[in-house]
Amino acid sequence: LSGQAAPPPTIPVAPTIALTPAERYRARLKDAHISFDVATGIFDAVLSKGYYEEYIPLGKSRVTFRTRLYEDHLRLQTELELRKPDLAISHEEIVTRFNLAATLYEYQGKALKHGDEADLEAIMLLIKKMPGPVYHLLSRKLSEFDAKTMIVFSEGAAESF
């Protein structure tokens, strides 16, 4: 069979092994650099207390973030439906501001109350008056906090604890 190219060599492929949901979950934790002990603490805190709280360093100070409630999600959804932002950047700014207000429980050494709508309005005003760089830093820290808690509660979590 002259004139025909030789077939390419075959490369052996290792067989793939299906992982269980718990194994996939532990792999996600490992990829995110979250120890199983930390994940267990977050999972248990939310189930036993209704929230997980974390101190976030902010220079020589700190802020306290707490996981949000479902009512916070509903409040945000209502706001987005009322405002109907045309630009994606406006949408994202509203989401970030509302999520930060619902998550921020301590700022500059002062505990922030979350008892009613007036408390939330006071926190929204506090956020509005923050220096821009501080707001952007807290937004980034919020994103990291949310990513961590979402991974802890991702598929396989219920089977892993």
Side-chain angles (χ1 to χ4, degrees), residues 5-22:
T10 57
I11 300 171
V13 177
T16 57
I17 300 170
L19 299 176
T20 66

Side-chain angles (χ1 to χ4, degrees), residues 21-96:
E23 291 169 330
R24 286 192 305 273
Y25 177 74
R26 286 183 182 249
R28 269 194 307 284
L29 290 177
K30 184 178 177 184
D31 290 345
H33 306 289
I34 301 170
S35 73
F36 188 73
D37 288 343
V38 167
T40 300
I42 294 170
F43 194 86
D44 289 347
V46 172
L47 291 181
S48 64
K49 299 187 297 187
Y51 63 89
Y52 164 70
E53 192 170 77
E54 185 175 311
Y55 300 120
I56 309 295
L58 187 65
K60 294 179 182 179
S61 186
R62 72 175 194 201
V63 298
T64 303
F65 282 171
R66 187 180 285 184
T67 50
R68 294 180 295 280
L69 300 172
Y70 183 63
E71 73 180 347
D72 298 316
H73 169 77
L74 295 175
R75 183 182 300 113
L76 171 60
Q77 184 177 344
T78 300
E79 184 71 16
L80 289 171
E81 288 173 0
L82 288 173
R83 290 193 183 199
K84 295 180 177 44
D86 292 330
L87 300 174
I89 194 165
S90 298
H91 180 275
E92 287 303 313
E93 193 279 328
I94 292 168
V95 169
T96 300

